[in-house]
Amino acid sequence: MPGPFSQKEIVLGVTGSIAAYKACDIASRLVEAGANVIPVLTRSAQEFVGPVSFEAITGNHAITALFERLQNPEIEHIAVARRAHLFLIAPASANILAKAAHGIADDWLSTTLLATRAPILFAPAMNTQMYLHPATQANIEILRARGCSFAGPASGTLACGEVGPGRLIETSAILEAAGVLLSEQKDLAGKRVLITSGATHEPLDPVRFLGNRSSGKMGRALALEALRRGADVTVVSGPAQAPLPHAAEVVRVKTALDMLEAVQSRVDTVDVFIAAAAVADYRVDAPAPSKHKHTGASLQLTLSPNPDIAAWVGQHKRPGQVSVGFAAETDDLLNHAGAKLAAKNLDLIVANSVGGAHCAFGADSVLAWLLTPGNPPEPLDLISKEDLTQRIFDKVALLLQS
Ligand code: CTP
């Protein structure tokens, strides 16, 4: 299935910053995702990086001067301003923010920013004091009020040795934000989506726990797709490796009991609840207050069942609210999934086979079916987690209308 970058023309504006070299990675990831990238290097950017790298990565001429248009009508700034689907300025210096905020047009990039109606995304990178300066902050406010978007900056140690906000945010976060802006399908605009994700860790003692191998990739993919479609997204996440989208509200929890509490206090206000977490079925009755010692003797643990979060939501669902669950099964997949659909009062269950070669934990693709009450299972075959999330939200959008 085509993603949000497929066949999209993106102007990548690179401005003067020590982080300019990172724009090569951004360009390369955009090209990989199917975008046609037009690189633009300001004069200061060219002090840090050269056009040749960008030309090799994108296959397009890198624009370096305003008056190139005389030789090359393809990159004439008004033509590009009209054609582009997105302007991504990464890294964005204090100077380009100031020029864009005040309508100064003195080079190709600033001139074209004035001429475009495409969404504009800035990924700022600069010295912390420059970023925090009231002039820069005021410029950012002006640009936000005008509808421009921002990804980052991140905080950390900067090239100048200072510690604070000003680092170019990581490429994946820039791509996430760009994907949200490029996505044309906004059928979840105004909807609130709550997702549980990751594993739960049930403590045995202060340093050990019972857990599972959930990567959190499905929760991440679901959150991204819901954001792209215009929803407000909250993720209640147990421990997991996959990073969650910056635009989502993230509530971190460790145990099933914490996850239940976090869901109970938020679910009333949402339109869609998706249980994607691999919740531990049991917790240790009385976790030891200090570390278990290795005595060589056998150790007996008493486990108590954890509450079923999806079932709790099913019991307390408002009319019109849609709840979605997952069933990862090794055998008798459709029967087990159908039973869970009914027992948890779900509107949709995604059944995936975790037997043999098709282990869903940590994998990028799953063998899946969609089940809704009273309808035959819909097979999706082997599908990537990204494509699966599109199919899930297609169904959720229909369920919200019914
Ligand atoms: N789930 C939940 N809370 C639990 C257990 C499961 O919210 N305590 C949700 C999962 O997020 C998933 C669905 O219920 O959406 C099914 O989870 P799964 O672990 O497959 O099923 P269980 O009901 O725990 O049944 P079993 O482990 O016996 O297969």
Side-chain angles (χ1 to χ4, degrees), residues 23 25 43 51 58 62 75 83 96 101 121 129 151 199 204 210 221 253 257 260 272 282 289 298 301 313 327 380 389:
D25 184 39
R43 203 160 26 159
T58 64
I75 57 156
R83 245 183 13 234
I96 192 70
L121 173 61
Q129 298 312 327
L204 268 82
L210 297 178
V253 294
L257 288 176
L260 175 68
V272 181
Y282 292 93
S298 64
L301 295 171
V313 172
L380 300 178
T389 57

Side-chain angles (χ1 to χ4, degrees), residues 256-292:
L257 288 176
D258 295 344
M259 189 175 273
L260 175 68
E261 207 182 299
V263 167
Q264 284 173 330
S265 61
R266 290 169 175 81
V267 76
D268 271 358
T269 60
V270 306
D271 303 284
V272 181
F273 170 73
I274 306 184
V279 184
D281 286 332
Y282 292 93
R283 67 179 178 279
V284 179
D285 252 358
S290 54
K291 197 178 157 206
H292 278 290

Side-chain angles (χ1 to χ4, degrees), residues 196 275-281 306-311 324-329 340 344:
T196 65
V279 184
D281 286 332
N306 266 329
D308 190 316
I309 300 166
V324 181
F326 284 78
E329 310 288 342
K340 286 177 188 176
K344 300 179 195 232

Side-chain angles (χ1 to χ4, degrees), residues 328-373:
E329 310 288 342
T330 51
D331 48 84
D332 211 3
L333 173 66
L334 296 180
N335 279 333
H336 284 313
K340 286 177 188 176
L341 178 72
K344 300 179 195 232
N345 193 23
L346 298 166
D347 301 289
L348 169 66
I349 194 157
V350 185
N352 47 324
S353 174
V354 289
H358 302 299
C359 183
F361 288 101
D364 291 320
S365 293
V366 287
L367 194 59
W369 281 258
L370 296 184
L371 278 76
T372 48

Side-chain angles (χ1 to χ4, degrees), residues 108-397:
W108 194 98
L109 187 59
S110 52
T111 307
T112 315
L113 280 176
L114 270 187
T116 191
R117 293 275 174 90
I120 302 172
L121 173 61
F122 291 101
M126 66 197 75
N127 164 274
T128 298
Q129 298 312 327
M130 289 172 77
Y131 177 70
L132 293 176
H133 193 284
T136 305
Q137 290 300 310
N139 290 335
I140 290 173
E141 274 319 301
I142 290 171
L143 291 166
R144 273 193 207 283
R146 228 179 259 155
C148 297
S149 300
F150 284 80
S155 286
T157 306
L158 303 177
C160 55
E162 265 180 47
V163 180
R167 278 174 72 90
L168 184 70
I169 201 161
E170 67 270 29
T171 303
S172 59
I174 295 173
L175 262 75
E176 274 166 30
V180 170
L181 290 172
L182 283 168
S183 175
E184 282 154 14
Q185 192 176 11
K186 297 289 179 196
D187 51 355
L188 295 179
K191 301 291 182 199
R192 298 174 68 95
V193 175
L194 178 64
I195 300 167
T196 65
S197 178
T200 66
H201 284 180
E202 310 298 333
L204 268 82
D205 67 19
V207 294
R208 301 181 180 92
F209 57 83
L210 297 178
N212 60 63
R213 288 188 281 136
S214 169
S215 63
K217 281 184 186 173
M218 179 52 80
R220 169 189 158 77
L222 286 162
L224 256 180
E225 181 64 14
L227 287 165
R228 283 179 189 152
R229 292 185 178 213
D232 271 351
V233 178
T234 302
V235 184
V236 176
S237 174
Q241 275 176 353
L244 287 161
H246 287 258
E249 184 199 356
V250 178
V251 182
R252 302 261 173 210
V253 294
K254 285 236 159 60
T255 67
L257 288 176
D258 295 344
M259 189 175 273
L260 175 68
E261 207 182 299
V263 167
Q264 284 173 330
S265 61
R266 290 169 175 81
V267 76
D268 271 358
T269 60
V270 306
D271 303 284
V272 181
F273 170 73
I274 306 184
V279 184
D281 286 332
Y282 292 93
R283 67 179 178 279
V284 179
D285 252 358
S290 54
K291 197 178 157 206
H292 278 290
K293 283 297 174 201
H294 183 208
T295 61
S298 64
L299 176 67
Q300 301 239 335
L301 295 171
T302 313
L303 305 179
S304 288
N306 266 329
D308 190 316
I309 300 166
W312 187 92
V313 172
Q315 280 160 16
H316 297 85
K317 214 161 38 171
R318 275 192 285 107
Q321 235 178 359
V322 170
S323 69
V324 181
F326 284 78
E329 310 288 342
T330 51
D331 48 84
D332 211 3
L333 173 66
L334 296 180
N335 279 333
H336 284 313
K340 286 177 188 176
L341 178 72
K344 300 179 195 232
N345 193 23
L346 298 166
D347 301 289
L348 169 66
I349 194 157
V350 185
N352 47 324
S353 174
V354 289
H358 302 299
C359 183
F361 288 101
D364 291 320
S365 293
V366 287
L367 194 59
W369 281 258
L370 296 184
L371 278 76
T372 48
N375 299 309
E378 252 178 72
L380 300 178
D381 301 326
L382 194 60
I383 186 168
S384 74
K385 286 188 177 174
E386 277 68 30
D387 288 353
L388 176 59
T389 57
Q390 291 187 27
R391 299 295 292 269
I392 293 169
F393 282 110
D394 288 348
K395 192 65 89 188
V396 165

